[in-house]
Amino acid sequence: MKKPTRISLAKQITTEIESQIESGRWPVGSKIPPESHLAEQFGVSRNTMREALQSLTQSGVLASKPGDGTYVMTAGKFEANMYTRLEKAETKEIAEARLFLEKDLAILAAKNRNETDIEKIALALKKRNEKKATLEEEAKSDIEFHVEIAKAAHNSVMYELYRYMSNYIYELILEKMYQDLEKDSPDSEKLHQDLFLAIKKQDPIEAEKVASCINHF
Amino acid sequence: MKKPTRISLAKQITTEIESQIESGRWPVGSKIPPESHLAEQFGVSRNTMREALQSLTQSGVLASKPGDGTYVMTAGKFEANMYTRLEKAETKEIAEARLFLEKDLAILAAKNRNETDIEKIALALKKRNEKKATLEEEAKSDIEFHVEIAKAAHNSVMYELYRYMSNYIYELILEKMYQDLEKDSPDSEKLHQDLFLAIKKQDPIEAEKVASCINHF
DNA sequence: GAGTATTTGTACGAACAATTT
DNA sequence: AAAATTGTTCGTACAAATACT
């Protein structure tokens, strides 16, 4: 999405390490060389080396034990860290994932929502329907609405997964909006209204059905 | 899950900043003081301060613009970073999220799987059904099976979301297994077999139905 | 429009703590 | 007890982007 003018050393090394693992040079289960050695090999400081390794640790490719070493947990390019993956991901895949998550969240929200949730969703819906000056505002209010539903689902894990994706969705929506400026399709406003009503009625089946119809792209 | 002997300064400050935002001290949309000032206020180096801010940036609570400053994007404890959230999350919530994701992935896998995927899933299923010496191995082979299905879905975003959760699921499964040692319920093996067959038949509806029945906890 | 100051981003080097072998 | 390895923190320097005069 964004094209950094310069790729940091840490990211370059992360990519390099990934290929090493993919190529089988460091098999799953094996211990990789200590940070100090790697830093020397790559000609960087240990700080930079650590940063490179940490992104792989966080995504579960590597696991480190203090006083022992760092081990390879999984292999394959599929295991790139989340940030990188989402950046590289196809628009189609992000849209698909969004649809699934929003469907799930709609079901949960219909089951678990309380009165406060309903008020907040209603408010977000109202804001969404107002005319906006810029496309940025429009995209933002759309996401806000869905985020409120995500909160109403009362499942912090699902919420966090959705929230994490939203950062990327935002830019995607903008890109798309700039392409075809037809804005909201005629029934988009009605669909969002219906989704709200289904959740208010506590009707998970209806909520799922409507959520499936909201095609964002 | 784990209890660090000592909490790093960065994490302490992250928590502190979160409360500042929650309390409304720094409203959404406002620009927070520059890193250098904050570092001085908290009595730490800018390095440490940056680390604290970065975890909030990554989770979308803050957003930084080079040459400008750092802005508050969202408020509320819901926005804690993913790592923290998943660690604190209730077992019930993780199980629920897992069920939803596995259902979604089953549908996608049934639609998108190719022959290679089928072979890999079959292999993973075979391994899953073998008798295991330890509970760890058993839990691992169960997750492996589902991860193969996730790969067969051919959606890197959904895959990554699932993969991210798996790290935590693993420990949870173990915990649960140690509690009630009844291992696989009688029909669990059959359900997994059915899920495999549904994906092989490319029957998304059947796959969804079966996946919904697999209750891991 | 140009130049300067401010602010975030990247990278290095060093030291010590904590943990495992 | 000692050595090796990861974890944390500091201080510093410069690059890159933005804001301001």
Side-chain angles (χ1 to χ4, degrees), chain A residues 74 93 96 104 155-156 163, chain B residues 93 96 104 155-156 163:
Chain A
T74 61
E93 290 188 340
E96 190 174 64
D104 294 343
N155 180 312
S156 59
R163 190 86 191 54
Chain B
E93 290 188 340
E96 191 174 62
D104 295 342
N155 180 310
S156 59
R163 190 84 192 53

Side-chain angles (χ1 to χ4, degrees), chain A residues 74 78-80 82 85-86 89 93 96-97 100 104 108 154-161 163-165, chain B residues 74 78-80 82 85-86 89 93 96-97 100 104 108 154-161 163 165:
Chain A
T74 61
F78 247 117
E79 275 80 8
M82 199 160 184
R85 275 234 66 58
L86 286 180
E93 290 188 340
E96 190 174 64
F100 271 104
D104 294 343
L108 282 171
H154 290 280
N155 180 312
S156 59
V157 178
M158 290 297 290
Y159 173 81
E160 190 59 31
L161 294 177
R163 190 86 191 54
Y164 202 91
M165 259 200 355
Chain B
T74 60
F78 246 118
E79 276 78 10
M82 198 159 183
R85 275 235 67 60
L86 286 180
E93 290 188 340
E96 191 174 62
F100 271 103
D104 295 342
L108 282 171
H154 290 281
N155 180 310
S156 59
V157 179
M158 290 296 291
Y159 173 81
E160 190 58 32
L161 294 176
R163 190 84 192 53
M165 260 199 357

Side-chain angles (χ1 to χ4, degrees), chain A residues 6 8-10 44-48 66-67:
Chain A
R6 207 176 100 207
S8 71
L9 279 180
V44 297
S45 72
R46 187 161 85 97
N47 272 338
T48 305

